[in-house]
Amino acid sequence: GITKNREAFCGVTVPVSFLRQTWTGKELFKKGLPETGAETAYELEKIVSIVGAKNISAVFIVPVAGSTGILLPPKGYLKILREICDKYGILLVFDEVITGFYRTGKMFASETFDVVPDIMTMAKALTNAAIPMGATACSQKIYNKVIED
């Protein structure tokens, strides 16, 4: 992410850990998804080993970063994150504000990359920017848990 943003955000409400960005500079002027960089997803396991899985409620990901340019995730990166989250019982949240509603060729980036998040946030194209509105969608498992409790 944008390093300066971490100074204002990190630790204001709860401790936050950050995954290293996947951008290396080798991706410049290349078409398609980067071939390298997916291995950086395994840094999540390093964070789990330090703070413990029970202390991580969710991993928030913007599937295609837009605030720093159009940064595509490396091939397999999002799938590796999904596997690690499943392994440790951590929720995977996709922020689809930028990528939602066919901006990646499919309804959501999660479909484009064939990864199903537990929670998805969306906005902007939800109303074609006519009025400010956002929405959150969740998996059936989370919905059932909310309704039961």
Side-chain angles (χ1 to χ4, degrees):
I2 303 172
T3 308
K4 279 299 214 185
N5 286 355
R6 294 180 188 174
E7 293 174 14
F9 174 76
C10 186
V12 172
T13 55
V14 295
V16 176
S17 297
F18 291 91
L19 290 170
R20 183 168 51 105
Q21 66 181 10
T22 60
W23 175 254
T24 65
K26 296 176 185 173
E27 302 84 358
L28 279 173
F29 309 112
K30 297 202 174 157
K31 290 184 179 183
L33 299 178
E35 295 290 336
T36 60
E39 67 281 353
T40 59
Y42 291 109
E43 289 190 11
L44 177 55
E45 289 197 298
K46 190 184 301 182
I47 293 170
V48 169
S49 72
I50 293 168
V51 302
K54 67 178 181 174
N55 295 313
I56 303 173
S57 56
V59 173
F60 286 77
I61 295 291
V62 178
V64 177
S67 62
T68 57
I70 303 302
L71 302 178
L72 298 170
K75 284 184 182 175
Y77 178 78
L78 298 173
K79 287 186 178 189
I80 293 170
L81 287 178
R82 172 79 274 173
E83 292 167 6
I84 295 170
C85 286
D86 288 344
K87 178 179 176 181
Y88 294 104
I90 299 168
L91 297 175
L92 180 62
V93 181
F94 274 14
D95 177 342
E96 295 261 17
V97 170
I98 293 173
T99 55
F101 303 99
Y102 296 100
R103 290 183 174 155
T104 61
K106 296 201 176 176
M107 185 67 167
F108 294 102
S110 58
E111 292 178 64
T112 301
F113 299 113
D114 194 29
V115 176
V116 179
D118 298 298
I119 299 172
M120 183 188 309
T121 63
M122 60 200 92
K124 292 186 181 178
L126 188 63
T127 65
N128 200 25
I131 58 171
M133 180 183 279
T136 302
C138 66
S139 67
Q140 190 67 47
K141 179 180 175 183
I142 292 174
Y143 173 80
N144 289 344
K145 185 68 176 166
V146 170
I147 295 303
E148 289 171 9
D149 291 343

